[in-house]
Amino acid sequence: MKLLTQYLWLCWFINNPADLVPSKSFMWKTVVFYLISGCIVEGLIADPADGSLEVFLRTIMAFSSIAVLLLIVKKWQYFNQLFTAIFVCENFIMTLAIAAEALDFVMVMNREEYREEISISLAVLLVGWYLAIVGYILRQFFSYKTGVSVILAFSYFVLTYGIPMLVMDI
């Protein structure tokens, strides 16, 4: 529980992910939660079978993107720490996305007049926060300047969400 708390502090831009060393058990639990929460969110948005496939593709892209980055900068030894840091924070954001989907459902049932504006605002907030977190993690790991970290975070987002979404649309 202490390790989870230390990783969750990354979501508030506290702690250095390079200082956190996850156990194998913690890493696998993080991946399993990533898959389950992703399937829940995608199942609420689209067809559960298509959503599950998209989450699987997203997971492959996430691991591949992290691996390529670490191979390029010749810091492969940080793979477990980096993917765990990103996945724990992404799991946190995904949990908030599930709550946002539930709120959207309640607003639909209550015929809330500004439901779309509220839902879109929450989605933009969560994506922005996600990009900031990934940028922070990359900046902490590699001592990149903020601009470079944000560009890498955006690239990671496009690779892990955009490409699987495009593949599913084909």
Side-chain angles (χ1 to χ4, degrees), residues 114-136:
Y114 297 105
R115 179 195 68 81
E116 282 189 36
E117 291 84 356
I118 293 169
S119 295
I120 291 170
S121 297
L122 285 173
V124 168
L125 174 72
L126 291 175
V127 170
W129 192 6
Y130 169 78
L131 292 171
I133 291 168
V134 173
Y136 172 79

Side-chain angles (χ1 to χ4, degrees), residues 93-160:
I93 296 294
M94 197 61 68
T95 302
L96 294 177
I98 292 169
E101 287 291 330
L103 176 63
D104 186 61
F105 178 76
V106 169
M107 289 189 297
V108 166
M109 298 308 289
N110 291 331
R111 298 186 178 150
E112 176 65 41
E113 182 179 352
Y114 297 105
R115 179 195 68 81
E116 282 189 36
E117 291 84 356
I118 293 169
S119 295
I120 291 170
S121 297
L122 285 173
V124 168
L125 174 72
L126 291 175
V127 170
W129 192 6
Y130 169 78
L131 292 171
I133 291 168
V134 173
Y136 172 79
I137 290 168
L138 295 172
R139 188 168 49 99
Q140 291 295 313
F141 257 104
F142 305 112
S143 301
Y144 292 140
K145 292 183 179 182
T146 302
V148 172
S149 298
V150 170
I151 290 169
L152 287 172
F154 184 75
S155 300
Y156 175 80
F157 178 78
V158 169
L159 289 170
T160 57

Side-chain angles (χ1 to χ4, degrees), residues 17-93:
D19 296 338
L20 303 174
V21 181
S23 66
K24 295 283 185 200
S25 171
F26 185 80
M27 289 185 303
W28 281 110
K29 288 175 185 172
T30 300
V31 173
V32 168
F33 190 87
Y34 179 86
L35 292 168
I36 291 171
S37 62
C39 287
I40 290 170
V41 168
E42 290 299 327
L44 291 171
I45 295 171
D47 175 43
D50 286 345
S52 297
L53 179 59
E54 187 173 330
V55 171
F56 180 71
L57 292 171
R58 213 167 48 214
T59 305
I60 291 170
M61 288 304 300
F63 280 125
S64 300
S65 301
I66 292 167
V68 167
L69 173 65
L70 291 173
L71 287 171
I72 289 170
V73 297
K74 297 179 177 139
K75 294 191 177 189
W76 179 255
Q77 69 272 20
Y78 291 116
F79 182 78
N80 292 343
Q81 289 170 282
L82 183 57
F83 99 74
T84 304
I86 291 173
F87 274 39
V88 167
C89 292
E90 191 161 356
N91 288 343
F92 176 73
I93 296 294

